[in-house]
Amino acid sequence: MSSRNPIIAVTGSSGAGTSTTIESFAHIFRSLGITPATVEGDSFHRYSRQEMDLEKRKAREDRRNISYFGDQANDFDALEKLFSTYSETGKGQMRRYLHTFDEAVPYNQMPGTFTPWEKLGEGTDLLFYEGLHGGVVTEKNDVAKHVDLLIGMVPIVNLEWIQKIIRDTNQRGHSREAVTASIVRSMEDYISYITPQFSKTHINFQRVPTVDTSNPFSAKAIPSLDESFVVIRFREATGVDFPYYLSMIDGAFMSRINTLVVPGGKMGLAMELLLTPLIRDLMEKKHRANKQLDWMTDL
Ligand SMILES: Nc1ncnc2c1ncn2[C@@H]1O[C@H](COP(=O)(O)OP(=O)(O)OP(=O)(O)O)[C@@H](O)[C@H]1O
Ligand SMILES: O=C(CO)[C@H](O)[C@H](O)COP(=O)(O)O
Protein backbone atom coordinates (compact mmCIF):
# COMPACT_ATOMS: atom_id res chain seq x y z
CA MET A 1 0.00 0.00 0.00
CA SER A 2 1.27 3.42 -0.80
CA SER A 3 -0.29 6.85 -0.54
CA ARG A 4 2.02 8.28 -3.19
CA ASN A 5 1.51 5.54 -5.81
CA PRO A 6 -1.83 3.83 -5.17
CA ILE A 7 -2.88 0.52 -6.70
CA ILE A 8 -6.43 -0.46 -7.64
CA ALA A 9 -7.04 -4.13 -8.50
CA VAL A 10 -10.14 -5.76 -9.95
CA THR A 11 -9.81 -9.47 -9.38
CA GLY A 12 -11.90 -12.33 -10.70
CA SER A 13 -11.86 -15.69 -12.41
CA SER A 14 -11.60 -16.27 -16.15
CA GLY A 15 -14.85 -15.02 -17.69
CA ALA A 16 -15.96 -13.21 -14.54
CA GLY A 17 -16.05 -9.87 -16.32
CA THR A 18 -12.97 -8.06 -15.00
CA SER A 19 -12.10 -6.74 -18.49
CA THR A 20 -15.69 -5.60 -18.94
CA THR A 21 -15.38 -3.33 -15.88
CA ILE A 22 -12.65 -1.32 -17.59
CA GLU A 23 -15.33 0.88 -19.14
CA SER A 24 -16.74 1.97 -15.77
CA PHE A 25 -13.26 2.61 -14.43
CA ALA A 26 -12.37 4.55 -17.58
CA HIS A 27 -15.37 6.87 -16.93
CA ILE A 28 -14.29 7.40 -13.33
CA PHE A 29 -10.66 8.04 -14.26
CA ARG A 30 -11.72 10.50 -16.96
CA SER A 31 -14.08 12.37 -14.64
CA LEU A 32 -11.40 12.68 -11.94
CA GLY A 33 -8.63 13.58 -14.41
CA ILE A 34 -6.62 10.46 -13.54
CA THR A 35 -4.06 8.87 -15.85
CA PRO A 36 -3.80 5.18 -14.95
CA ALA A 37 -1.09 2.66 -15.74
CA THR A 38 -3.24 -0.30 -16.82
CA VAL A 39 -2.07 -3.88 -16.43
CA GLU A 40 -3.81 -7.09 -17.54
CA GLY A 41 -3.41 -10.07 -15.24
CA ASP A 42 -2.85 -12.49 -18.13
CA SER A 43 0.54 -10.80 -18.72
CA PHE A 44 1.76 -12.77 -15.71
CA HIS A 45 1.08 -16.18 -17.20
CA ARG A 46 4.32 -18.11 -17.24
CA TYR A 47 3.74 -19.78 -20.61
CA SER A 48 2.64 -18.95 -24.13
CA ARG A 49 -0.33 -21.00 -25.41
CA GLN A 50 2.01 -23.46 -27.15
CA GLU A 51 4.18 -23.86 -24.04
CA MET A 52 1.10 -24.29 -21.87
CA ASP A 53 -0.14 -27.10 -24.13
CA LEU A 54 3.16 -28.83 -23.51
CA GLU A 55 2.92 -28.25 -19.75
CA LYS A 56 -0.63 -29.63 -19.75
CA ARG A 57 0.58 -32.77 -21.55
CA LYS A 58 3.47 -33.23 -19.07
CA ALA A 59 1.07 -32.74 -16.16
CA ARG A 60 -1.32 -35.35 -17.58
CA GLU A 61 1.53 -37.85 -17.86
CA ASP A 62 2.51 -37.18 -14.22
CA ARG A 63 -1.17 -37.43 -13.15
CA ARG A 64 -1.29 -33.86 -11.81
CA ASN A 65 -3.18 -30.75 -12.89
CA ILE A 66 -1.97 -27.41 -14.14
CA SER A 67 -4.25 -24.45 -14.75
CA TYR A 68 -4.18 -20.72 -15.38
CA PHE A 69 -5.48 -20.17 -11.86
CA GLY A 70 -2.48 -21.57 -10.02
CA ASP A 71 1.11 -20.70 -9.22
CA GLN A 72 2.63 -23.22 -11.65
CA ALA A 73 1.24 -21.36 -14.66
CA ASN A 74 1.61 -17.81 -13.32
CA ASP A 75 4.58 -15.82 -12.09
CA PHE A 76 3.37 -14.44 -8.75
CA ASP A 77 6.92 -13.23 -7.95
CA ALA A 78 6.82 -10.94 -10.98
CA LEU A 79 3.29 -9.74 -10.15
CA GLU A 80 4.21 -8.94 -6.55
CA LYS A 81 7.41 -7.25 -7.72
CA LEU A 82 5.42 -5.01 -10.09
CA PHE A 83 3.05 -4.00 -7.29
CA SER A 84 5.82 -3.34 -4.75
CA THR A 85 7.97 -1.45 -7.28
CA TYR A 86 5.06 0.67 -8.47
CA SER A 87 4.11 1.46 -4.85
CA GLU A 88 7.63 2.65 -4.15
CA THR A 89 8.56 4.36 -7.41
CA GLY A 90 5.43 4.79 -9.54
CA LYS A 91 7.10 2.71 -12.25
CA GLY A 92 7.35 -0.91 -13.40
CA GLN A 93 7.21 -3.21 -16.39
CA MET A 94 4.30 -4.71 -18.32
CA ARG A 95 3.54 -6.87 -21.32
CA ARG A 96 0.36 -8.27 -22.89
CA TYR A 97 -0.89 -11.79 -23.55
CA LEU A 98 -2.50 -11.73 -26.99
CA HIS A 99 -5.57 -13.96 -27.01
CA THR A 100 -7.00 -13.41 -30.47
CA PHE A 101 -5.91 -12.59 -34.03
CA ASP A 102 -7.48 -9.15 -33.62
CA GLU A 103 -5.22 -8.50 -30.65
CA ALA A 104 -2.15 -10.16 -32.17
CA VAL A 105 -2.10 -8.70 -35.72
CA PRO A 106 -1.12 -5.13 -34.71
CA TYR A 107 1.97 -6.61 -33.02
CA ASN A 108 2.72 -8.88 -35.97
CA GLN A 109 2.49 -11.83 -33.60
CA MET A 110 0.39 -14.99 -33.22
CA PRO A 111 -2.47 -15.41 -30.73
CA GLY A 112 -1.32 -17.05 -27.50
CA THR A 113 1.98 -15.16 -27.38
CA PHE A 114 3.27 -12.29 -25.25
CA THR A 115 4.33 -8.83 -26.36
CA PRO A 116 7.82 -7.83 -25.21
CA TRP A 117 8.11 -6.33 -21.71
CA GLU A 118 7.92 -2.56 -21.77
CA LYS A 119 8.25 0.21 -19.22
CA LEU A 120 5.13 1.54 -17.58
CA GLY A 121 4.33 4.22 -15.10
CA GLU A 122 5.94 7.43 -16.36
CA GLY A 123 3.43 10.25 -15.82
CA THR A 124 0.71 8.01 -14.32
CA ASP A 125 -1.32 8.66 -11.17
CA LEU A 126 -2.08 5.11 -10.12
CA LEU A 127 -1.77 1.47 -11.17
CA PHE A 128 -4.95 -0.26 -12.36
CA TYR A 129 -4.79 -4.06 -12.51
CA GLU A 130 -7.56 -6.29 -13.86
CA GLY A 131 -7.17 -10.03 -13.84
CA LEU A 132 -7.04 -13.29 -11.95
CA HIS A 133 -4.72 -12.59 -9.05
CA GLY A 134 -5.00 -9.00 -7.77
CA GLY A 135 -5.60 -10.25 -4.22
CA VAL A 136 -3.72 -13.53 -4.21
CA VAL A 137 -1.85 -14.66 -1.12
CA THR A 138 0.30 -17.81 -1.06
CA GLU A 139 2.98 -19.08 1.31
CA LYS A 140 5.55 -17.30 -0.83
CA ASN A 141 3.75 -14.21 -2.14
CA ASP A 142 1.38 -11.60 -0.77
CA VAL A 143 0.04 -9.59 -3.68
CA ALA A 144 -3.01 -8.34 -1.76
CA LYS A 145 -0.98 -6.38 0.78
CA HIS A 146 0.19 -3.93 -1.89
CA VAL A 147 -3.31 -3.06 -3.08
CA ASP A 148 -5.07 0.08 -1.85
CA LEU A 149 -8.49 -0.70 -3.32
CA LEU A 150 -9.30 -4.35 -4.08
CA ILE A 151 -12.52 -5.13 -5.96
CA GLY A 152 -13.91 -8.63 -6.52
CA MET A 153 -15.79 -9.35 -9.74
CA VAL A 154 -17.52 -12.61 -9.11
CA PRO A 155 -20.70 -13.75 -10.85
CA ILE A 156 -22.28 -16.88 -9.39
CA VAL A 157 -20.40 -19.79 -10.79
CA ASN A 158 -22.94 -21.02 -13.37
CA LEU A 159 -23.04 -17.56 -14.89
CA GLU A 160 -19.25 -17.30 -14.78
CA TRP A 161 -18.96 -20.55 -16.72
CA ILE A 162 -21.54 -19.44 -19.29
CA GLN A 163 -19.62 -16.18 -19.78
CA LYS A 164 -16.34 -18.08 -20.15
CA ILE A 165 -17.70 -20.74 -22.50
CA ILE A 166 -19.42 -18.25 -24.79
CA ARG A 167 -16.52 -15.78 -24.83
CA ASP A 168 -13.84 -18.48 -25.35
CA THR A 169 -15.77 -20.22 -28.16
CA ASN A 170 -16.94 -17.06 -29.96
CA GLN A 171 -13.91 -14.85 -29.55
CA ARG A 172 -10.89 -16.97 -28.68
CA GLY A 173 -11.33 -19.86 -31.09
CA HIS A 174 -11.62 -22.68 -28.53
CA SER A 175 -14.05 -25.58 -28.79
CA ARG A 176 -16.82 -26.04 -26.23
CA GLU A 177 -15.21 -29.35 -25.18
CA ALA A 178 -11.81 -27.72 -24.65
CA VAL A 179 -13.31 -24.94 -22.49
CA THR A 180 -15.30 -27.46 -20.44
CA ALA A 181 -12.15 -29.54 -19.93
CA SER A 182 -10.25 -26.46 -18.80
CA ILE A 183 -12.98 -25.66 -16.23
CA VAL A 184 -12.68 -29.19 -14.84
CA ARG A 185 -8.88 -29.12 -14.81
CA SER A 186 -8.84 -25.73 -13.06
CA MET A 187 -11.19 -26.63 -10.22
CA GLU A 188 -8.62 -27.38 -7.53
CA ASP A 189 -6.67 -24.20 -8.28
CA TYR A 190 -9.95 -22.26 -8.41
CA ILE A 191 -10.62 -23.20 -4.81
CA SER A 192 -7.02 -22.67 -3.67
CA TYR A 193 -6.13 -19.46 -5.50
CA ILE A 194 -9.24 -17.69 -6.81
CA THR A 195 -12.03 -17.86 -4.23
CA PRO A 196 -9.91 -16.96 -1.14
CA GLN A 197 -9.26 -13.55 -2.72
CA PHE A 198 -12.92 -12.58 -2.33
CA SER A 199 -12.53 -12.58 1.45
CA LYS A 200 -9.80 -9.96 1.14
CA THR A 201 -11.59 -7.56 -1.17
CA HIS A 202 -12.98 -4.19 -0.06
CA ILE A 203 -16.07 -4.65 -2.26
CA ASN A 204 -17.42 -7.65 -4.21
CA PHE A 205 -19.78 -7.33 -7.17
CA GLN A 206 -21.65 -10.61 -7.62
CA ARG A 207 -23.97 -10.87 -10.62
CA VAL A 208 -26.87 -13.27 -10.04
CA PRO A 209 -29.08 -14.20 -13.00
CA THR A 210 -32.86 -14.32 -12.71
CA VAL A 211 -33.13 -16.81 -15.59
CA ASP A 212 -32.43 -20.54 -15.49
CA THR A 213 -28.70 -21.23 -15.76
CA SER A 214 -28.85 -24.73 -14.34
CA ASN A 215 -26.97 -26.29 -17.26
CA PRO A 216 -24.28 -23.75 -18.11
CA PHE A 217 -22.64 -26.23 -20.52
CA SER A 218 -25.60 -26.08 -22.88
CA ALA A 219 -26.23 -22.31 -22.68
CA LYS A 220 -26.45 -20.50 -26.02
CA ALA A 221 -26.29 -16.91 -24.73
CA ILE A 222 -25.10 -14.89 -21.75
CA PRO A 223 -28.00 -13.71 -19.58
CA SER A 224 -28.32 -9.97 -20.13
CA LEU A 225 -27.94 -7.29 -17.48
CA ASP A 226 -31.73 -6.94 -17.38
CA GLU A 227 -31.95 -10.65 -16.59
CA SER A 228 -29.87 -10.30 -13.45
CA PHE A 229 -29.28 -8.55 -10.15
CA VAL A 230 -25.95 -7.51 -8.72
CA VAL A 231 -25.19 -8.22 -5.08
CA ILE A 232 -22.67 -5.70 -3.76
CA ARG A 233 -21.01 -6.57 -0.49
CA PHE A 234 -18.79 -4.16 1.46
CA ARG A 235 -16.15 -5.57 3.80
CA GLU A 236 -16.43 -2.46 6.00
CA ALA A 237 -19.96 -1.02 6.12
CA THR A 238 -18.99 1.86 8.44
CA GLY A 239 -18.92 5.10 6.51
CA VAL A 240 -20.82 3.71 3.50
CA ASP A 241 -23.70 6.07 2.67
CA PHE A 242 -26.34 3.38 1.98
CA PRO A 243 -29.33 5.80 2.13
CA TYR A 244 -27.73 7.88 -0.62
CA TYR A 245 -27.16 4.86 -2.87
CA LEU A 246 -30.70 3.60 -2.26
CA SER A 247 -32.09 6.98 -3.26
CA MET A 248 -29.89 7.27 -6.38
CA ILE A 249 -30.26 3.73 -7.77
CA ASP A 250 -33.79 2.92 -8.84
CA GLY A 251 -34.81 -0.57 -7.67
CA ALA A 252 -31.92 -0.96 -5.20
CA PHE A 253 -32.44 -2.57 -1.81
CA MET A 254 -30.36 -3.88 1.08
CA SER A 255 -30.30 -7.60 1.81
CA ARG A 256 -27.90 -7.38 4.74
CA ILE A 257 -26.38 -4.67 6.87
CA ASN A 258 -23.32 -4.55 4.54
CA THR A 259 -24.98 -5.65 1.28
CA LEU A 260 -26.66 -3.61 -1.41
CA VAL A 261 -28.57 -5.26 -4.28
CA VAL A 262 -29.11 -3.41 -7.57
CA PRO A 263 -30.88 -4.38 -10.80
CA GLY A 264 -28.34 -5.70 -13.33
CA GLY A 265 -28.92 -2.77 -15.66
CA LYS A 266 -27.72 -0.40 -12.93
CA MET A 267 -24.37 -2.15 -12.44
CA GLY A 268 -22.34 0.50 -14.28
CA LEU A 269 -24.09 3.33 -12.43
CA ALA A 270 -23.60 1.56 -9.09
CA MET A 271 -19.90 1.04 -9.80
CA GLU A 272 -19.41 4.68 -10.64
CA LEU A 273 -21.40 5.94 -7.65
CA LEU A 274 -19.66 3.67 -5.14
CA LEU A 275 -16.14 3.75 -6.49
CA THR A 276 -15.76 7.43 -7.42
CA PRO A 277 -15.53 8.68 -3.80
CA LEU A 278 -13.11 5.89 -2.87
CA ILE A 279 -10.83 6.68 -5.81
CA ARG A 280 -11.10 10.42 -5.15
CA ASP A 281 -9.99 9.67 -1.59
CA LEU A 282 -6.94 7.74 -2.85
CA MET A 283 -6.02 10.74 -5.03
CA GLU A 284 -6.38 13.20 -2.15
CA LYS A 285 -4.10 11.03 0.00
CA LYS A 286 -1.63 10.92 -2.89
CA HIS A 287 -1.57 14.72 -3.22
CA ARG A 288 -1.13 15.15 0.54
CA ALA A 289 1.73 12.61 0.61
CA ASN A 290 3.44 14.32 -2.34
CA LYS A 291 3.09 17.76 -0.71
CA GLN A 292 4.61 16.40 2.49
CA LEU A 293 7.51 14.93 0.54
CA ASP A 294 8.10 18.26 -1.28
CA TRP A 295 8.01 20.04 2.05
CA MET A 296 10.54 17.63 3.60
CA THR A 297 12.81 17.90 0.53
CA ASP A 298 12.77 21.70 0.86
CA LEU A 299 13.94 21.53 4.50
N1 LIG B 1 -22.17 -7.71 -16.63
C1 LIG B 1 -22.14 -8.42 -17.76
N2 LIG B 1 -23.27 -8.58 -18.50
C2 LIG B 1 -23.25 -9.31 -19.64
N3 LIG B 1 -22.13 -9.91 -20.12
C3 LIG B 1 -21.01 -9.77 -19.42
C4 LIG B 1 -20.93 -9.03 -18.21
N4 LIG B 1 -19.67 -9.07 -17.73
C5 LIG B 1 -18.98 -9.82 -18.62
N5 LIG B 1 -19.76 -10.23 -19.62
C6 LIG B 1 -19.37 -11.04 -20.77
O1 LIG B 1 -18.70 -12.19 -20.26
C7 LIG B 1 -17.56 -12.50 -21.04
C8 LIG B 1 -16.33 -12.50 -20.16
O2 LIG B 1 -16.08 -11.18 -19.70
P1 LIG B 1 -14.60 -10.60 -19.62
O3 LIG B 1 -13.87 -10.85 -20.90
O4 LIG B 1 -14.69 -9.21 -19.13
O5 LIG B 1 -14.00 -11.56 -18.51
P2 LIG B 1 -12.61 -11.52 -17.82
O6 LIG B 1 -12.86 -11.62 -16.36
O7 LIG B 1 -11.78 -10.37 -18.27
O8 LIG B 1 -11.96 -12.87 -18.36
P3 LIG B 1 -10.41 -13.28 -18.64
O9 LIG B 1 -9.64 -13.05 -17.37
O10 LIG B 1 -10.53 -14.72 -18.98
O11 LIG B 1 -9.93 -12.45 -19.81
C9 LIG B 1 -17.51 -11.47 -22.16
O12 LIG B 1 -18.11 -12.02 -23.29
C10 LIG B 1 -18.34 -10.31 -21.61
O13 LIG B 1 -18.94 -9.59 -22.65
O1 LIG C 1 -8.63 -16.04 -19.67
C1 LIG C 1 -7.78 -16.80 -19.30
C2 LIG C 1 -7.22 -16.66 -17.96
O2 LIG C 1 -7.72 -15.48 -17.42
C3 LIG C 1 -7.26 -17.77 -20.27
O3 LIG C 1 -7.69 -19.03 -19.95
C4 LIG C 1 -5.76 -17.69 -20.39
O4 LIG C 1 -5.36 -16.36 -20.52
C5 LIG C 1 -5.29 -18.50 -21.58
O5 LIG C 1 -5.90 -18.06 -22.73
P1 LIG C 1 -5.95 -18.98 -24.02
O6 LIG C 1 -6.47 -20.31 -23.57
O7 LIG C 1 -6.89 -18.25 -24.94
O8 LIG C 1 -4.57 -19.08 -24.55
Side-chain angles (χ1 to χ4, degrees):
M1 297 237 246
S2 150
S3 302
R4 292 186 53 223
N5 302 302
I7 297 178
I8 300 175
V10 181
T11 198
S13 172
S14 178
T18 57
S19 314
T20 308
T21 62
I22 286 184
E23 215 171 294
S24 297
F25 277 93
H27 280 165
I28 300 174
F29 293 151
R30 211 173 309 123
S31 73
L32 296 177
I34 291 171
T35 306
T38 301
V39 174
E40 296 166 9
D42 294 350
S43 329
F44 293 90
H45 291 338
R46 232 183 257 284
Y47 306 115
S48 66
R49 192 177 288 168
Q50 222 177 5
E51 291 166 340
M52 186 63 174
D53 285 342
L54 200 65
E55 293 301 317
K56 282 192 257 182
R57 209 168 313 141
K58 280 199 245 162
R60 247 194 326 271
E61 281 162 15
D62 301 346
R63 292 180 181 281
R64 56 184 172 83
N65 272 329
I66 183 167
S67 84
Y68 281 111
F69 294 159
D71 62 349
Q72 294 175 68
N74 290 281
D75 190 348
F76 294 158
D77 282 341
L79 177 59
E80 187 176 359
K81 183 154 180 274
L82 168 67
F83 281 16
S84 69
T85 309
Y86 189 90
S87 292
E88 281 163 30
T89 64
K91 299 204 175 78
Q93 279 204 313
M94 66 86 84
R95 64 177 178 178
R96 289 191 68 205
Y97 181 83
L98 305 167
H99 284 277
T100 61
F101 274 107
D102 281 355
E103 288 171 1
V105 164
Y107 293 92
N108 213 8
Q109 291 189 202
M110 289 300 285
T113 61
F114 297 100
T115 62
W117 287 102
E118 58 186 276
K119 285 186 185 161
L120 114 166
E122 197 65 59
T124 59
D125 298 308
L126 53 77
L127 181 73
F128 175 68
Y129 166 98
E130 65 85 8
L132 297 166
H133 297 118
V136 86
V137 179
T138 65
E139 276 177 20
K140 199 163 157 244
N141 298 102
D142 186 346
V143 172
K145 77 172 180 202
H146 301 286
V147 178
D148 298 83
L149 177 60
L150 182 59
I151 305 297
M153 198 50 60
V154 47
I156 65 153
V157 78
N158 281 21
L159 177 56
E160 185 173 291
W161 289 346
I162 292 174
Q163 292 190 168
K164 179 171 175 61
I165 291 165
I166 297 209
R167 194 269 323 267
D168 282 2
T169 50
N170 288 352
Q171 289 167 32
R172 294 188 179 171
H174 300 302
S175 69
R176 211 163 249 264
E177 293 68 31
V179 186
T180 306
S182 102
I183 291 173
V184 175
R185 191 169 30 80
S186 308
M187 199 39 64
E188 207 173 319
D189 285 341
Y190 185 80
I191 293 164
S192 304
Y193 295 95
I194 301 294
T195 54
Q197 298 181 68
F198 304 123
S199 300
K200 297 186 187 307
T201 39
H202 296 99
I203 305 179
N204 284 333
F205 290 84
Q206 183 165 50
R207 198 153 83 88
V208 181
T210 52
V211 290
D212 183 17
T213 57
S214 43
N215 183 357
F217 302 102
S218 74
K220 303 281 179 296
I222 297 173
S224 69
L225 282 171
D226 288 336
E227 293 169 330
S228 57
F229 277 88
V230 184
V231 173
I232 306 169
R233 171 263 190 188
F234 297 77
R235 188 173 69 193
E236 212 20 272
T238 324
V240 180
D241 193 350
F242 287 110
Y244 175 68
Y245 300 132
L246 291 169
S247 71
M248 292 295 287
I249 306 172
D250 200 22
F253 61 93
M254 290 186 71
S255 61
R256 279 204 180 159
I257 192 84
N258 63 347
T259 307
L260 184 71
V261 183
V262 306
K266 303 284 184 208
M267 181 165 168
L269 172 67
M271 288 187 73
E272 289 185 40
L273 274 176
L274 305 177
L275 298 175
T276 301
L278 301 179
I279 297 174
R280 188 182 291 123
D281 195 43
L282 289 182
M283 291 306 287
E284 282 168 8
K285 282 196 187 128
K286 176 185 169 80
H287 292 314
R288 277 202 299 277
N290 279 338
K291 262 195 195 149
Q292 198 170 4
L293 187 74
D294 289 348
W295 180 74
M296 279 160 56
T297 324
D298 286 349
L299 279 183

